[in-house]
Amino acid sequence: EWAEDRLTQVAVGWVLGCVFVRICEDNSLLPDARLGGAGPRGEEARAAQQDYFRQHPNHSDRDYLHDVFRSAAAKPGLAGVLGEGTNPLWLTDPSADACSELVGLFRATGDDGSLSLDFTDPSRDTRFLGDLYQDLSEHAKKTYALLQTPVFVEEFILDRTLTPAIEAFGLADTSIIDPTCGSGHF
């Protein structure tokens, strides 16, 4: 049971790592696209992978994804998300074939040629990451009490508490306590 939970966390780490990299790439938060993207960014990612394999002809897509994650983790603020020792994806490796499927998934296109998974978001809303994590990992739900507060509940509470407080006292004199105590979005 312990091993199964651990492997689930590793698998979730690999999927969320790819999602996180693609979010950063799709929203130009990383200078170079390495996993995927629309139009020129997708072409740039495929070219980066070809360059990697020219330099490392005996490597697999698993090695390439390791390099992608390490490169992203080297950027300011991303070591805590993708770094070795902080993300369970580094605990063990999926097969090279599984990694090829992951790369293919994050580059897949629909019948019209558009990306099946496009994470471009001008507002840079990351709430769906928490939703995805809670849905992918029963372990995270149980261990960390990770259960996102539904948006309609958040809006209901904030409309009746924070909005009136700001109106009454002004933004500068209003303070709040995170009702989720840091375990989720609110």
Side-chain angles (χ1 to χ4, degrees):
E1 190 175 313
W2 176 87
E4 187 174 317
D5 279 346
R6 187 64 117 183
L7 290 174
T8 299
Q9 286 305 307
V10 169
V12 167
W14 277 84
V15 170
L16 287 177
C18 289
V19 169
F20 197 80
V21 167
R22 274 292 308 281
I23 288 170
C24 291
E25 290 177 350
D26 288 4
N27 293 288
S28 299
L29 300 172
L30 290 173
D32 303 315
R34 306 230 8 240
L35 188 52
R41 294 286 279 179
E43 294 168 19
E44 181 182 337
R46 285 185 287 282
Q49 186 180 22
Q50 289 172 349
D51 288 345
Y52 177 86
F53 285 125
R54 271 193 283 280
Q55 294 172 18
H56 309 281
N58 297 322
H59 284 192
S60 68
D61 281 327
R62 178 180 50 230
D63 301 302
Y64 179 68
L65 284 175
H66 277 161
D67 192 62
V68 168
F69 296 143
R70 283 188 181 105
S71 294
K75 304 296 183 205
L78 296 183
V81 176
L82 294 169
E84 295 181 53
T86 60
N87 190 313
L89 73 87
W90 299 102
L91 295 176
T92 191
D93 294 333
S95 69
D97 289 341
C99 290
S100 295
E101 288 186 38
L102 263 178
V103 171
L105 172 69
F106 286 93
R107 291 184 181 168
T109 57
D111 292 338
D112 63 354
S114 65
L115 281 172
S116 298
L117 300 172
D118 186 350
F119 298 102
T120 305
D121 181 5
S123 70
R124 297 191 175 140
D125 182 11
T126 57
R127 178 187 173 86
F128 81 96
L129 282 171
D131 290 336
L132 179 61
Y133 187 39
Q134 98 180 8
D135 292 341
L136 285 175
S137 176
E138 192 65 31
H139 173 81
K141 237 190 247 188
K142 290 178 182 176
T143 305
Y144 307 114
L146 180 65
L147 189 58
Q148 302 273 87
T149 305
V151 173
F152 77 92
V153 174
E154 291 174 10
E155 291 172 354
F156 178 83
I157 292 170
L158 293 174
D159 287 347
R160 282 152 184 80
T161 58
L162 183 61
T163 301
I166 291 172
E167 289 171 358
F169 305 110
L171 182 60
D173 292 327
T174 301
S175 61
I176 61 172
I177 298 172
D178 177 6
T180 64
C181 299
S183 66
H185 288 269
F186 190 89

